[in-house]
Amino acid sequence: MSIFETLESEVRSYSRGWPVVFDRAQGSWLYAEDGKAYLDFFAGAGALNYGHNNPALKQALLDYISRDGVTHALDMFTVAKRDFLETLDEVILKPRSLDYKVIFPGPGGANAVEAALKLARKVTGKESVINFTNAFHGMTLGALSVTGNSMKRGGAGIPLVHATPMPYDQYFDGAMPDFLYFERLLEDSGSGLNDPAAVIVESVQGEGGINAARLEWLRGLSELCQRHGILLILDDVQMGCGRTGPFFSFEDAGIKPDIVCLSKSIGGYGLPMALTLIRPDLDVWEPGEHNGTFRGISPAFVTATEALRTYWRDDELEKSVRAKGERVGAALTEIAESHSGVTAKGRGLARGLEFGSGELAGRVCAAAFERGLLMETSGPDGEVAKLLPPLTTSDNEFDQGLQIIRESVEAVLAG
Amino acid sequence: MSIFETLESEVRSYSRGWPVVFDRAQGSWLYAEDGKAYLDFFAGAGALNYGHNNPALKQALLDYISRDGVTHALDMFTVAKRDFLETLDEVILKPRSLDYKVIFPGPGGANAVEAALKLARKVTGKESVINFTNAFHGMTLGALSVTGNSMKRGGAGIPLVHATPMPYDQYFDGAMPDFLYFERLLEDSGSGLNDPAAVIVESVQGEGGINAARLEWLRGLSELCQRHGILLILDDVQMGCGRTGPFFSFEDAGIKPDIVCLSKSIGGYGLPMALTLIRPDLDVWEPGEHNGTFRGISPAFVTATEALRTYWRDDELEKSVRAKGERVGAALTEIAESHSGVTAKGRGLARGLEFGSGELAGRVCAAAFERGLLMETSGPDGEVAKLLPPLTTSDNEFDQGLQIIRESVEAVLAG
Amino acid sequence: MSIFETLESEVRSYSRGWPVVFDRAQGSWLYAEDGKAYLDFFAGAGALNYGHNNPALKQALLDYISRDGVTHALDMFTVAKRDFLETLDEVILKPRSLDYKVIFPGPGGANAVEAALKLARKVTGKESVINFTNAFHGMTLGALSVTGNSMKRGGAGIPLVHATPMPYDQYFDGAMPDFLYFERLLEDSGSGLNDPAAVIVESVQGEGGINAARLEWLRGLSELCQRHGILLILDDVQMGCGRTGPFFSFEDAGIKPDIVCLSKSIGGYGLPMALTLIRPDLDVWEPGEHNGTFRGISPAFVTATEALRTYWRDDELEKSVRAKGERVGAALTEIAESHSGVTAKGRGLARGLEFGSGELAGRVCAAAFERGLLMETSGPDGEVAKLLPPLTTSDNEFDQGLQIIRESVEAVLAG
Amino acid sequence: MSIFETLESEVRSYSRGWPVVFDRAQGSWLYAEDGKAYLDFFAGAGALNYGHNNPALKQALLDYISRDGVTHALDMFTVAKRDFLETLDEVILKPRSLDYKVIFPGPGGANAVEAALKLARKVTGKESVINFTNAFHGMTLGALSVTGNSMKRGGAGIPLVHATPMPYDQYFDGAMPDFLYFERLLEDSGSGLNDPAAVIVESVQGEGGINAARLEWLRGLSELCQRHGILLILDDVQMGCGRTGPFFSFEDAGIKPDIVCLSKSIGGYGLPMALTLIRPDLDVWEPGEHNGTFRGISPAFVTATEALRTYWRDDELEKSVRAKGERVGAALTEIAESHSGVTAKGRGLARGLEFGSGELAGRVCAAAFERGLLMETSGPDGEVAKLLPPLTTSDNEFDQGLQIIRESVEAVLAG
């Protein structure tokens, strides 16, 4: 392992908890070079909703590469991009009556967020943005300024300004009416709150600790934004592409955000790809006003298109995620109820167990790793063991994984 | 073409000058869906130094995908990453006595720049950065703040501060001694210049108009930084990986920057990948203080490794680029000398023809496109026709391309 | 009046509501050049706590000027400054066991606030500051950034950042426990709140609408600051020097702020003067790190010293202000109770009548002016008629003034 | 002296070099409480152009106070303000064909600068400002951000952004054409310079080291601003009111700045007062958008008016300052020529001797103090002994003072 220790920066993190060298992967399983199999309930932090190296997508990818389809195309027109746009329109947007235009903002989720913030500021002429407690939106300077985590913010090395945090749903466990503070500040011309261009929000905060906003809270937020002429940016980078059941995590709330950020699983196969969807009347960019080298990676378009065709032409995956999510949720609730100080959280297949301390949650994840399961912590102090399994995980695999979690919690809390 | 016009944001740019739908690509050629071939002297803005779908890399990529090698791995240890690190160390760093540690900052060049700036600020405790006139470093907020172009800066929607521009080499055509202003400001405690954490510079400014800094200027800058304890960040995103001849564009100047940013062609095949190389004593990150979903895309590691093995084990490519660069330079000089108001610029295979006006340069590129050549403009007003051909372009292909350029210039300037 | 209209900027404000030319003044009375007398319940926005041209101070001032005492002395040592410091120490600080060092930050309240913020940031190495809804701290850029009023903030022409507003006491009329939000954000490392250097607060918000914080709220804030290592800056520019009864407005709460800002009435006679009082261990300035031309105006020191000697050697003024404040408060409550939608507010001799709309409050003030009383509006929409009468106003004068207010309210609300 | 050491903050500076307690003052003389007389060639850092306690102004001041003229009047109309405006118009503006409107921005020079910057940003909708190397404009946050001195800037505790320094006249001793860099950056849309709202400049930099810009440089700057639509703010706080001869320091250059800042000697007697003069079409303030408690200090208006009447109805003072300035300049040149490494600088009665090191200049000032002369250092390292004597200093007093300087230089440099 010495080349990693010698040559790779200390900034590396996941390899510290999982100190093995992975080689192959398939479905919900990662295989270390010594052949040991690990059940992956982390799934690339939500980038592998369709599992590792999904066979349907793999074949399309191999075909495309084999026939010398264009690989790298900036924002030129390509057959692969056209197929993707047509499929997105037909399979996702039209059936949901979503009238969005599509920006290819660069390869990652932070690019989708940066483009969203830039556009919201350009359209409104305002610079201030409202974010929420325990939000995570990325690590580039614009995205970081709306992220909550203090360690990550500190890495910027300059004051991160222009964003004011508001309490996320249930931040006070019901002790305070929803949006009381936010709306009071907006309505009071003496409040000192800079007039915001936009609100940026996640439907479920993954990095923030698997905090699932209630649907009525999301609706309330959407209505507040409309009342006050504030653009609503829904960051669906981690919770989109079916993680909570429907393709967009906000569908159940019945809202239509002004701007939507997608990345992680949109490419289907784990290849870098991101989208910023915008209300058509917001499309005021000048050509090239936002750009980037890796906006048009055709292999990702190909797997993205194939994923949409395979999984979103009907509602089978959506139903399955809801059902499996309920099942996993029930199992976690049962585990939580068997141990004081443990709480089950989440929605769909974004689930978590809160242990009240980062030390405990970390030990549970370590115990799970020993037993062959990959699971990570999240939350401001890492106090939540987070489950983001592939949506394609089978019932049998869930049984295995949940049993490992059960044993791991037992081992740590009984010790 | 209607789905592009209907669904894709107005921010798209390249597709405006080249309104055809590309399908396949091979070497220096792109093929539209109607079968028409285009000689590509743009090469993904420098992301395709080894040509489109390079056969050696393609085979390694197909093998890796076929055998279900891990695709997406965040910053876990993988066999693919180990191979890449070992090869980078053996083929690139050790032979050049470069003692760097490697950050995988995210998938694109802007991520490499963001990580560099964050680290420089963290290490020094200072927030100010010196950039140069006509610099381009990316479109995320941190990278954009050190970029020169006013249209791109305007897109931020907030004041971009913390950076002070200094004159790039030859900015005054020799009317002012190198670094006179910069060093005077640094030495004068009353100058009002905030004490800088770092200087960020390109050896050759590609987007800025193919401005090639003299080697003695780069040396002077490096010495200035050392005298004043300022970190030197060399953004080699576009000019690295052999574009000017040697692997790093700064090798000929004999300097060792504190931090080096690489992306674009480092992945070899056009897949998103980026590196931030840092002096080992600067590696003060906490684990996870900078991260991102697409830091560990193994297919890119595989093609990156194969590219290093294929092209950098000896100095053949380097020599070839120097030779071809001279040849292209001579041809462009000849063209320039035949037309008043035209100047040839550049180094290695980063070349340009300056026309004094963006309108003229744009018409030359359009004329070239009609004749089957892809070439883009750059510079603050788009006044430079820019050539970034694949380094693997054959002499015969250069002859074809240069002939098209010759004719295009003639057609526009004679008209 | 034509020279004012021709030559003075449109930024002038008070002269719009009181379009007469004043000439002389004495005690609680201002006299226009046509001889008409106006009872002044505005008192220079709180700068004339001892009345206009107070005879005791006037004599000391005339003596000093007559004998050619130094007038302007920057921060040199002078007899006048020594007298002031000795008197401040003996009459104010020592009896209250307040161990402060004294900065002369410049001539006005904004200077006192700017010095406080600069020092808090220097001492802590943090840049962020917490202010409160409807705060007013001044119009220079640093002071403005912690001020709430959106019109005034807008005048900056640049984004005002580095400050986050928290709800002032009673901002939610009891619907939310004190400091719930503030403390939750502080304790949550993922909240996105930048770690604050300081909190800046007024005990009673004058410009914000005569909002008087409860003493237990002030105590709670002080304790919160201590728990979290945040410096507490008490801006007593308008409410200090006896406005609420005791010399410092925070005395009744039993707290000891880390930094106190004084100005307005500290000079006694209306001459520009300001102080920033700091905990001795915070005195980490380098010589000259904060300075200004008008820090040492000896005539102001002379009247300031005389005011302390005349009014603060015993508790007569304090008792009198409390008694008169109660009386005025009772009268205003009676007025409010006679009219629906009107509320009485305030503490000591900082009193207000809230009318729910700026239009109504403005008409009441206009009606009062017609009847010979000066009274201004405050609050985010100017919805509060504000009373800041000289503390030396006699019972008879209060009777006259309150009768005018009674009639004016009647005239406006009956109409 | 103990109360100063015990109670006054360490930020005090002048009292460190002149550790005596001053009591009285008259004309060019300050008297310590032990009766010792000091010839004052510092004059309140330029706030006492008409000398200490000038008898003509003193009588007007005593009369006004005695008759209970309004002292403190915010921005109400007063007889004293009307007299001042009429006199300013008649004696200063009209004879010079200067069509300015008058803002009373607050009591000090920093307020005049803050108002100027706010207005320039509001008018133009741009936030960036160009300042010059070694500029000094004040210590509040807005004014500090355009000040050069790094120690003073460091006191802000937050990054000071929004300003970019350009080289002041002669910054490169003629090695670089005037405005070459500045204009190149403005004309190059890729330069990275944020489009500036305004340029702020001093005709002679006092704190910066008595750097007197050539008249043709000031004219060049004014023309550049007009060419590029940038507002020109002339900070005449220290150099106005006759310091260089004419009332405004920019008159000899024949330019008409868009905005002029006045303070220090405008009040005449050393009382706090400031003006921001603006082109009438820039008067776009809303009422109260910039305000402050001490905008209308009538005693200062009275002495200001009297000073204009006494000294500016004819050109006697102007001629006298020019003549005395020449004489002082000649004497300093003679001193400089007798000692290697010493240079004479300045214009009018703003004069300096540069010693190349702050240590030497400080020792010369200390030697002068021992001999009964007050003189301060300036420049980034305090390397310039600065002379700002009252303009009313007699020839005989100049002889005494220059003889002391001669001896002090001799004593230090011979030692």
Side-chain angles (χ1 to χ4, degrees), chain A residues 56-332:
Chain A
L57 317 189
K58 176 178 172 179
Q59 195 51 53
L61 180 60
L62 286 172
D63 290 350
Y64 189 79
I65 296 171
S66 298
R67 78 166 183 83
D68 279 336
V70 174
T71 298
H72 179 281
L74 293 149
D75 68 358
M76 302 180 210
F77 295 147
T78 60
V79 170
K81 186 160 80 174
R82 186 175 56 202
D83 286 354
F84 171 73
L85 284 172
E86 285 173 353
T87 309
L88 179 76
D89 200 31
E90 178 201 324
V91 175
I92 302 296
L93 300 181
K94 281 202 180 127
R96 288 163 181 79
S97 303
L98 291 170
D99 183 25
Y100 288 130
K101 291 190 80 174
V102 179
I103 299 167
F104 298 99
N111 301 98
V113 170
E114 295 264 345
L117 295 174
K118 285 164 77 169
L119 187 63
R121 284 164 169 152
K122 182 180 168 74
V123 166
T124 61
K126 302 171 189 170
E127 86 287 339
S128 179
V129 171
I130 297 297
N131 63 340
F132 289 97
T133 52
N134 287 300
F136 180 84
H137 299 289
M139 296 296 272
T140 52
L141 210 56
L144 191 54
S145 72
V146 289
T147 287
N149 187 282
S150 59
M151 184 269 276
K152 291 186 169 66
R153 290 175 73 81
I158 54 169
L160 293 175
V161 295
H162 301 299
T164 306
M166 287 290 149
Y168 195 69
D169 188 26
Q170 309 283 21
Y171 196 63
F172 301 108
D173 301 319
M176 194 177 155
D178 294 352
F179 310 115
L180 173 66
Y181 185 44
F182 188 5
E183 195 138 24
R184 182 80 173 83
L185 289 186
L186 286 172
E187 284 167 358
D188 177 4
S189 69
S191 71
L193 183 77
N194 291 327
D195 196 14
V199 164
I200 185 164
V201 70
E202 303 152 277
S203 309
V204 180
Q205 296 182 323
E207 298 304 307
I210 305 290
N211 307 313
R214 291 163 302 139
L215 302 181
E216 60 263 38
W217 186 86
L218 288 172
R219 269 193 298 277
L221 180 62
S222 173
E223 286 158 15
L224 178 152
C225 286
Q226 281 171 37
R227 268 198 304 283
H228 293 279
I230 305 171
L231 294 173
L232 178 61
I233 303 171
L234 200 309
D235 180 345
D236 228 8
V237 166
Q238 192 170 57
M239 294 299 148
C241 305
R243 173 57 55 192
T244 67
F247 185 80
F248 293 111
S249 70
F250 55 82
E251 291 179 39
D252 288 344
I255 62 173
K256 295 198 182 180
D258 304 293
I259 302 178
V260 179
C261 301
L262 284 178
S263 184
K264 293 201 187 267
S265 282
I266 186 66
Y269 206 75
L271 296 174
M273 178 173 164
L275 302 180
T276 307
L277 307 178
I278 59 172
R279 247 176 43 205
D281 60 300
L282 302 180
D283 192 17
V284 300
W285 293 111
E286 291 184 56
E289 198 172 356
H290 182 83
N291 62 24
T293 299
F294 295 120
R295 280 164 297 162
I297 299 303
S298 305
F301 290 159
V302 167
T303 50
T305 304
E306 196 61 29
L308 296 182
R309 285 183 185 141
T310 307
Y311 291 104
W312 296 102
R313 279 199 194 278
D314 56 35
D315 61 359
E316 233 174 274
L317 181 67
E318 177 174 343
K319 280 183 180 165
S320 155
V321 171
R322 289 188 197 272
K324 288 174 179 170
E326 291 301 313
R327 226 184 119 223
V328 172
L332 294 178

Side-chain angles (χ1 to χ4, degrees), chain B residues 199-263:
Chain B
V199 164
I200 185 163
V201 71
E202 302 152 278
S203 309
V204 179
Q205 296 182 323
E207 298 304 307
I210 306 291
N211 307 313
R214 291 163 302 141
L215 303 181
E216 60 264 38
W217 186 85
L218 289 171
R219 269 193 299 276
L221 179 63
S222 172
E223 287 159 14
L224 178 152
C225 286
Q226 281 172 37
R227 268 198 305 283
H228 293 280
I230 305 171
L231 294 173
L232 180 60
I233 303 171
L234 201 307
D235 180 344
D236 228 8
V237 165
Q238 192 170 57
M239 294 300 149
C241 303
R243 174 57 55 191
T244 67
F247 185 80
F248 294 111
S249 70
F250 55 80
E251 290 179 40
D252 287 344
I255 62 173
K256 295 197 181 181
D258 303 294
I259 302 179
V260 179
C261 300
L262 283 179
S263 183

Side-chain angles (χ1 to χ4, degrees), chain C residues 113 117 129 131-132 135-137 141-148 153 163 200:
Chain C
V113 170
L117 294 174
V129 171
N131 63 339
F132 288 97
F136 180 84
H137 298 290
L141 210 57
L144 192 54
S145 72
V146 289
T147 287
R153 291 174 72 81
I200 185 163

Side-chain angles (χ1 to χ4, degrees), chain D residues 57-286:
Chain D
L57 316 189
K58 174 178 171 179
Q59 195 50 53
L61 179 61
L62 286 171
D63 290 350
Y64 189 80
I65 296 170
S66 298
R67 78 167 183 84
D68 279 335
V70 175
T71 298
H72 179 281
L74 294 150
D75 68 358
M76 301 179 209
F77 295 148
T78 60
V79 170
K81 185 159 80 172
R82 185 173 58 200
D83 286 355
F84 171 72
L85 285 173
E86 286 173 352
T87 309
L88 179 76
D89 201 32
E90 177 201 324
V91 175
I92 302 295
L93 299 182
K94 281 202 179 128
R96 288 163 181 79
S97 303
L98 291 170
D99 184 24
Y100 288 128
K101 291 189 81 173
V102 179
I103 299 167
F104 298 98
N111 300 96
V113 170
E114 294 264 346
L117 295 174
K118 285 165 76 169
L119 187 62
R121 285 165 169 152
K122 182 180 168 75
V123 166
T124 61
K126 302 170 189 170
E127 87 287 338
S128 178
V129 170
I130 297 297
N131 64 339
F132 288 96
T133 52
N134 289 298
F136 180 84
H137 299 290
M139 297 295 272
T140 52
L141 210 57
L144 192 55
S145 73
V146 289
T147 286
N149 187 283
S150 58
M151 184 271 277
K152 292 186 168 66
R153 290 174 73 82
I158 53 170
L160 293 174
V161 295
H162 302 298
T164 306
M166 288 290 150
Y168 195 69
D169 189 26
Q170 309 284 18
Y171 197 63
F172 301 108
D173 300 320
M176 194 177 157
D178 295 350
F179 310 114
L180 173 64
Y181 185 45
F182 188 5
E183 196 139 25
R184 183 80 174 82
L185 289 186
L186 286 172
E187 285 167 358
D188 177 4
S189 68
S191 70
L193 183 76
N194 290 327
D195 196 15
V199 164
I200 185 164
V201 70
E202 303 153 277
S203 310
V204 179
Q205 296 181 322
E207 298 304 306
I210 305 290
N211 308 312
R214 290 163 304 139
L215 303 180
E216 60 264 37
W217 186 85
L218 288 172
R219 268 192 299 276
L221 179 63
S222 173
E223 287 158 15
L224 178 152
C225 286
Q226 281 171 36
R227 267 198 307 282
H228 293 278
I230 305 170
L231 294 174
L232 179 60
I233 303 171
L234 200 307
D235 180 345
D236 228 9
V237 166
Q238 192 170 58
M239 294 300 149
C241 306
R243 173 57 56 191
T244 68
F247 185 80
F248 293 111
S249 70
F250 56 81
E251 291 179 40
D252 287 346
I255 63 173
K256 294 196 183 182
D258 303 293
I259 302 178
V260 179
C261 301
L262 283 179
S263 183
K264 292 199 187 266
S265 282
I266 186 65
Y269 206 75
L271 296 173
M273 178 172 164
L275 302 180
T276 307
L277 307 177
I278 58 172
R279 249 177 41 206
D281 59 300
L282 304 179
D283 191 17
V284 299
W285 293 111
E286 291 184 58

Side-chain angles (χ1 to χ4, degrees), chain C residues 141-336:
Chain C
L141 210 57
L144 192 54
S145 72
V146 289
T147 287
N149 188 282
S150 59
M151 185 270 279
K152 291 185 169 67
R153 291 174 72 81
I158 54 170
L160 293 174
V161 294
H162 301 301
T164 306
M166 289 290 150
Y168 194 68
D169 188 26
Q170 310 283 22
Y171 196 63
F172 301 107
D173 301 319
M176 194 177 156
D178 295 350
F179 310 115
L180 174 65
Y181 185 44
F182 188 6
E183 195 137 25
R184 183 81 173 81
L185 289 186
L186 285 171
E187 283 168 359
D188 177 2
S189 69
S191 70
L193 183 77
N194 290 326
D195 196 14
V199 164
I200 185 163
V201 70
E202 303 152 277
S203 310
V204 180
Q205 295 182 323
E207 298 304 308
I210 305 292
N211 308 313
R214 290 163 303 140
L215 302 181
E216 60 264 37
W217 186 86
L218 288 172
R219 269 193 299 275
L221 179 62
S222 172
E223 287 159 16
L224 179 152
C225 285
Q226 280 172 38
R227 270 199 304 282
H228 292 279
I230 305 171
L231 294 173
L232 179 60
I233 303 172
L234 200 307
D235 180 344
D236 229 7
V237 165
Q238 192 171 58
M239 294 299 149
C241 304
R243 173 56 56 191
T244 67
F247 185 79
F248 293 111
S249 70
F250 56 80
E251 290 179 40
D252 287 343
I255 63 173
K256 293 196 182 182
D258 303 294
I259 302 179
V260 179
C261 300
L262 283 178
S263 183
K264 293 200 186 266
S265 282
I266 187 65
Y269 205 74
L271 297 174
M273 179 173 164
L275 302 180
T276 307
L277 306 177
I278 58 172
R279 249 176 42 206
D281 60 299
L282 304 178
D283 192 18
V284 300
W285 293 111
E286 290 185 57
E289 198 172 357
H290 182 83
N291 62 24
T293 299
F294 295 120
R295 280 164 297 163
I297 300 303
S298 305
F301 290 159
V302 166
T303 50
T305 304
E306 197 60 29
L308 296 182
R309 283 183 186 142
T310 307
Y311 291 104
W312 296 101
R313 279 200 194 280
D314 55 37
D315 61 0
E316 232 173 277
L317 181 66
E318 177 174 344
K319 281 183 178 166
S320 156
V321 171
R322 291 188 196 270
K324 288 172 178 172
E326 291 302 313
R327 227 184 116 222
V328 173
L332 295 178
T333 301
E334 199 192 297
I335 294 172

